[in-house]
Amino acid sequence: MASADMVRVERGDRLVIWNIVDHRKRRYRWARVNAVIEDTTADNACNDADQLDEDNAEAPMFEELKGASIHEAIKWADAAPGKVTLYLYDEGKGIE
């Protein structure tokens, strides 16, 4: 199995998605979900969170995508500027 560093170098990724939090109750549904991205530094306030201790001003504070596939949600999050946390929700659910 390749290490994460090897995969990064081979693919030349920008490494935008730093964390994924899956809130789906229907975990095997991938065709239509809702997704949210936030600046990864927002995770710093959570209990037991890894800390991002660097400037991340270009990251969005909050953006959402509704009714997308998991694949589309990951591509969308990966295209965001800065380092982001991707939250996944069942379709019709999300941050109220």
Side-chain angles (χ1 to χ4, degrees), residues 21-24 32-36 64-70 73 76 86-95:
V21 179
D22 190 352
H23 289 289
R24 293 175 299 149
R32 294 185 60 85
V33 300
N34 290 348
V36 169
E64 64 183 335
L65 178 66
K66 295 181 178 182
S69 70
I70 294 286
W76 167 74
L86 170 62
Y87 298 87
L88 298 172
Y89 298 92
D90 292 316
E91 185 177 28
K93 303 291 183 192
I95 296 175

Side-chain angles (χ1 to χ4, degrees), residues 2-90:
S3 74
D5 289 331
M6 289 176 56
V7 172
R8 262 182 274 188
V9 171
E10 290 171 6
R11 292 184 31 206
D13 290 340
R14 296 180 305 126
L15 302 174
V16 172
I17 301 172
W18 278 53
N19 194 11
I20 298 175
V21 179
D22 190 352
H23 289 289
R24 293 175 299 149
K25 300 223 185 299
R26 302 173 77 188
R27 296 195 185 268
Y28 295 98
R29 293 295 191 125
W30 52 265
R32 294 185 60 85
V33 300
N34 290 348
V36 169
I37 54 174
E38 288 184 338
D39 178 343
T40 298
T41 60
D43 297 353
N44 289 351
C46 299
N47 288 337
D48 197 35
D50 291 325
Q51 301 295 298
L52 180 61
D53 295 325
E54 60 186 71
D55 180 41
N56 196 29
E58 66 276 7
M61 293 303 293
F62 173 91
E63 291 183 16
E64 64 183 335
L65 178 66
K66 295 181 178 182
S69 70
I70 294 286
H71 177 78
E72 292 165 336
I74 291 171
K75 284 176 49 178
W76 167 74
D78 191 50
K83 298 168 180 79
V84 300
T85 297
L86 170 62
Y87 298 87
L88 298 172
Y89 298 92
D90 292 316

